[in-house]
Amino acid sequence: MYSLKEYWQLRDLPLPKGEWDGNVICLETNVEWTFGANETHGFLSCYTFTIVTSGWVTIIYHNSEITLNEGDLYTYSPGMEVTVLSASEDYRGICLLADERFTLSLSMVRNAVRTAYFTVVELTSPVLSLKPDDLCRLRELMLMAIRYQQSGITHSNESLQMLYSLFLLDLSAIQEHSIREHRLPKRVEEIFLGFLSLLPQHFIEHHDIGFYASRLCITTTYLSRIVRQVSGGRTVIDYINQFLLMEATFLLRQTSMSISQIAEQLHFAETTTFARFFQRMKGMNPKEFRSPLSRHQRRNK
């Protein structure tokens, strides 16, 4: 999957002034930029927070069609396949992007998760309709981030990181106020966040629940129950498979590795096992998915 810095270079987007560390960036978006993101959604290892400032945009997120309107905040979680279907001509937004590893290292995220079903860890619908005062504060933090990254001043990376932390704290408070009655026990939240932290580091080598339960010092049954409870029914294997699928699609499209090499890279016992997994998850076999002609034919069906 692409890091934020790799993604920015791939799309040939303007870089912040000065030395950018690749952890946080913010920009104003439009229809063209938003549709361009279809090329890399699902391969992007970063969180994105987009506020719709005018118009509307319709997306497919986790097999559901969602329309975002002015004043809505949309959160993208790493590894999710999202497709932009349509947008109004006057669609505009502000988008804050943060590298996944950097985000999970922040204590602010742990605090945010304690507001039940916080979208940064993909617990529920990725859309939050903001009240006017909340919209104003979050938007101002985003605009301030844009000003800092365009200034080229010393320590601008540190300033961006602090603004991102403030953004998460503010969003945490907004979410807590709106769904206070659904709070989860602290232990449940800690286990779920611990699982999410382990997953990006180990999903390639470890496809089994036992590894993650062992690292968290709990039973497989308890981990399974916690993940189902917090995520609204998704299983540990659902999360592992989603990450494996995203990595497989990335390797098939972006590298010249053979299918057998990809199967070995992802620690599948046999190439046929990998092929069956991919067919079940994607609806086509790896060879079909890799073929440009096949993809073109499917898009035009």
Side-chain angles (χ1 to χ4, degrees):
M1 294 170 69
Y2 295 112
S3 68
L4 177 55
K5 200 164 193 176
E6 290 168 339
Y7 170 79
W8 221 251
Q9 293 168 341
L10 179 72
R11 293 199 59 186
D12 196 26
L13 295 166
L15 293 169
K17 292 183 180 179
E19 292 293 326
W20 180 48
D21 60 12
N23 285 331
V24 180
I25 199 165
C26 194
L27 77 161
E28 296 185 84
T29 67
N30 54 28
V31 174
E32 181 181 0
W33 193 94
T34 300
F35 274 99
N38 278 343
E39 300 173 10
T40 48
H41 266 146
F43 307 135
L44 183 55
S45 183
C46 81
Y47 293 98
T48 71
F49 303 86
T50 303
I51 290 179
V52 180
T53 56
S54 67
W56 56 267
V57 60
T58 299
I59 63 173
I60 296 291
Y61 180 94
H62 200 42
N63 299 320
S64 298
E65 185 173 316
I66 301 171
T67 296
L68 291 75
N69 298 295
E70 184 175 342
D72 286 345
L73 170 69
Y74 159 66
T75 301
Y76 169 81
S77 301
M80 291 300 295
E81 281 200 278
V82 178
T83 302
V84 179
L85 292 181
S86 58
S88 62
E89 291 184 3
D90 65 338
Y91 168 74
R92 298 291 184 276
I94 309 177
C95 187
L96 174 65
L97 302 93
D99 187 78
E100 179 183 25
R101 285 186 178 274
F102 168 72
T103 295
L104 291 177
S105 72
L106 288 175
S107 61
M108 299 302 131
V109 176
R110 285 188 170 272
N111 293 331
V113 171
R114 292 192 176 99
T115 65
Y117 309 113
F118 185 48
T119 56
V120 71
V121 288
E122 190 201 327
L123 306 187
T124 107
S125 169
V127 181
L128 178 66
S129 294
L130 297 170
K131 296 178 180 178
D133 288 348
D134 297 332
L135 172 63
C136 183
R137 288 197 314 277
L138 293 180
R139 182 177 177 179
E140 182 54 37
L141 286 171
M142 288 175 152
L143 292 174
M144 192 179 300
I146 292 175
R147 291 195 291 271
Y148 266 102
Q149 69 195 26
Q150 291 175 345
S151 68
I153 63 172
T154 307
H155 306 307
S156 60
N157 286 316
E158 289 83 353
S159 299
L160 287 172
Q161 292 170 19
M162 290 182 67
L163 285 169
Y164 179 45
S165 296
L166 286 171
F167 181 91
L168 289 179
L169 277 173
D170 205 339
L171 184 54
S172 170
I174 293 168
Q175 195 78 348
E176 182 174 15
H177 184 266
S178 64
I179 52 175
R180 188 174 298 157
E181 68 275 14
H182 299 298
R183 292 182 70 88
L184 297 169
K186 180 179 177 180
R187 176 60 174 162
V188 169
E189 297 161 352
E190 289 292 328
I191 289 172
F192 185 75
L193 184 59
F195 168 64
L196 287 183
S197 298
L198 289 170
L199 189 58
Q201 304 174 50
H202 301 290
F203 75 93
I204 289 178
E205 295 85 3
H206 299 283
H207 306 175
D208 60 299
I209 301 175
F211 169 81
Y212 301 95
S214 175
R215 288 293 298 269
L216 294 168
C217 301
I218 58 176
T219 66
T220 57
T221 301
Y222 189 46
L223 177 59
S224 296
R225 186 164 69 246
I226 291 298
V227 171
R228 283 183 180 275
Q229 176 186 351
V230 177
S231 67
R234 295 184 68 189
T235 68
V236 173
I237 296 301
D238 286 339
Y239 278 89
I240 296 170
N241 285 348
Q242 187 66 41
F243 270 77
L244 285 170
L245 179 64
M246 294 302 101
E247 190 68 13
T249 56
F250 173 81
L251 294 173
L252 286 166
R253 283 183 174 172
Q254 306 298 329
T255 76
S256 59
M257 294 173 65
S258 68
I259 292 173
S260 62
Q261 287 173 328
I262 292 173
E264 183 178 359
Q265 169 100 354
L266 297 179
H267 287 249
F268 282 86
E270 303 286 344
T271 303
T272 52
T273 305
F274 167 67
R276 286 197 298 270
F277 163 82
F278 196 89
Q279 177 77 45
R280 175 169 56 85
M281 296 291 292
K282 203 70 177 175
M284 67 182 84
N285 64 48
K287 186 176 180 180
E288 290 174 328
F289 180 79
R290 171 167 268 176
S291 166
L293 177 60
S294 174
R295 293 201 297 271
H296 175 76
Q297 289 171 335
R298 286 176 182 270
R299 280 197 302 266
N300 287 280
K301 279 186 177 181

